[in-house]
């Protein structure tokens, strides 16, 4: 795998990591090396607690022209490659940090579904989108069969999948497949501004909300309410909840860190929970 198949740019001052698909000579089509690099880069971003937001984009004026099929049929069974695609889609979907796709030029096939797998999509007027699979004698992959009906409804999803139409950025936005359409000259600054707002949010609460929304599309109301109650318990165990109340009272912007509110005195040297003993409520108030 070439070291420059995926470019990593981590702004330590902001906590934003950018993954740039870097095969411009193929309009960033995903070959085996790029699939592996993307999977590993996504996993690394999810494990790095310094990363508070992730941007995926493409080099050379294109986002991604889908899977690279230039080599023709292969000897190996396709299930091996599909396993790699599934790993990428699931890792992206389950990342605990907010993700933003910055799309210029083409985003087709698996490339479009890579963008749709992100939480937010910023596109320029030059962006073009297509579920191109049927033109290649293939069916949807990289999560498209799950994503499209949830984003546009079943009938429109069938239109996009069966007819493989090409949409411009405004058409995609009308169908709720693009969050914002921004002029080319402004897209970098606009995406930076979105990321600044995400980085400024409470990281644990953002992760909880993202997971709740992702899970909620398949759940009953009873399931969703139980999950929301569980998530709020996690949020109240961070200092961010206390910080938000204090900032509101003091009429200032909150500073969110995602740190645990339970003081170290409540755990032993091995990190195991122990009985807090008398007076622990007062110590908690003092810790906050």
């Amino acid at each position: 795998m070439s070291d420059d198949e995926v470019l990593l740019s981590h702004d330590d001052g902001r906590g934003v990591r950018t993954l740039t698909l870097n095969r411009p000579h193929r309009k960033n089509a995903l070959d085996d090396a790029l699939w592996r690099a993307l999977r590993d880069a996504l996993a690394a971003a999810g494990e790095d607690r310094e990363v508070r937001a992730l941007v995926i984009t493409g080099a050379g004026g294109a986002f991604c022209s889908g899977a690279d099929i230039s080599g023709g049929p292969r000897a190996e069974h396709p299930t091996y490659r599909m396993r790699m695609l599934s790993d990428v889609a699931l890792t992206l979907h389950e990342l605990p940090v907010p993700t933003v796709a910055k799309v210029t030029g083409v985003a087709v096939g698996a490339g479009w579904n890579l963008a749709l797998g992100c939480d937010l999509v910023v596109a320029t007027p030059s962006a073009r989108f297509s579920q191109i699979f049927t033109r290649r004698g293939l069916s949807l992959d990289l999560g498209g069969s799950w994503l499209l009906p949830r984003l546009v409804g079943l009938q429109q999803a069938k239109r996009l999948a069966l007819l493989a139409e090409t949409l411009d950025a405004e058409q995609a936005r009308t169908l709720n497949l693009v969050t914002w359409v921004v002029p080319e000259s402004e897209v970098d600054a606009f995406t930076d501004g979105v990321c600044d707002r995400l980085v400024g949010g409470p990281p644990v609460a953002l992760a909880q909300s993202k997971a709740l929304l992702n899970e909620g599309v398949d759940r009953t109301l009873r399931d969703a309410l139980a999950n929301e109650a569980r998530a709020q318990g996690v949020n109240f165990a961070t200092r961010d909840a206390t910080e938000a109340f204090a900032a509101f009272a003091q009429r200032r912007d909150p500073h969110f860190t995602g740190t645990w509110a339970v003081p170290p005195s409540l755990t032993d040297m091995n990190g195991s929970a122990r009985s807090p003993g008398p007076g622990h409520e007062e110590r908690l108030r003092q810790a906050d």
Side-chain angles (χ1 to χ4, degrees):
M1 177 179 65
S2 172
D3 291 337
D4 61 358
E5 288 287 358
V6 171
L7 302 182
L8 303 181
S9 175
H10 183 200
D11 184 341
D12 291 325
R14 296 192 304 142
V16 179
R17 178 166 295 177
T18 299
L19 305 183
T20 303
L21 308 179
N22 189 38
R23 298 186 73 223
H25 60 291
R26 297 291 303 166
K27 294 187 178 179
N28 304 315
L30 293 144
D31 64 357
D32 288 349
L34 188 47
W35 279 119
R36 287 193 295 271
L38 182 58
R39 176 199 60 189
D40 294 345
L42 290 171
E47 294 169 359
D48 190 339
R49 294 175 63 183
E50 296 299 315
V51 176
R52 300 276 290 267
L54 181 77
V55 177
I56 300 179
T57 191
F63 183 76
C64 178
S65 58
D68 192 340
I69 60 173
S70 60
R74 307 181 182 200
E76 68 175 6
H77 199 282
T79 55
Y80 296 112
R81 195 179 200 201
M82 293 310 300
R83 193 176 301 157
M84 178 69 71
L85 271 66
S86 297
D87 288 345
V88 169
L90 282 173
T91 303
L92 175 61
H93 182 70
E94 294 174 354
L95 276 182
V97 299
T99 54
V100 181
K102 183 168 64 175
V103 181
T104 60
V106 297
V108 300
W112 190 8
N113 291 337
L114 178 64
L116 294 179
C118 294
D119 301 313
L120 302 167
V121 179
V122 183
T124 65
S126 69
R128 294 294 181 268
F129 304 90
S130 176
Q131 294 290 327
I132 202 170
F133 300 97
T134 58
R135 298 189 207 170
R136 306 290 183 256
L138 301 171
S139 54
L140 300 171
D141 63 25
L142 207 70
S145 63
W146 188 89
L147 291 163
L148 284 172
R150 286 159 177 77
L151 291 169
V152 302
L154 183 58
Q155 189 175 74
Q156 290 294 339
K158 289 179 177 178
R159 164 198 166 189
L160 295 170
L162 301 182
L163 299 178
E165 296 176 346
T166 297
L167 306 183
D168 63 28
E170 280 297 338
Q171 289 173 316
R173 188 187 63 80
T174 300
L175 288 172
N176 296 321
L177 295 166
V178 163
T179 319
W180 301 282
V181 178
V182 180
E184 195 95 28
S185 61
E186 301 173 16
V187 68
D188 291 339
F190 184 89
T191 304
D192 287 345
V194 171
C195 288
D196 285 341
R197 291 162 63 188
L198 293 171
V199 168
V204 174
L206 288 179
Q208 296 294 312
S209 290
K210 175 176 174 174
L212 287 169
L213 290 169
N214 283 342
E215 296 167 6
V217 295
D218 296 326
R219 304 295 176 89
T220 66
L221 177 59
R222 185 177 297 277
D223 291 334
L225 291 170
N227 284 340
E228 288 173 0
R230 168 192 52 77
Q232 291 294 39
V234 172
N235 295 327
F236 280 117
T238 70
R239 293 188 181 277
D240 287 346
T242 303
E243 165 65 5
F245 288 120
F248 178 78
Q250 298 165 18
R251 297 185 178 181
R252 60 174 175 81
D253 291 332
H255 175 64
F256 295 123
T257 62
T259 54
W260 199 30
V262 181
S265 61
L266 296 189
T267 60
D268 61 25
M269 293 298 292
N270 295 321
S272 302
R274 67 183 183 188
S275 175
H280 74 282
E281 292 182 356
E282 178 60 28
R283 290 199 296 274
L284 281 176
R285 285 193 291 270
Q286 293 173 354
D288 288 337

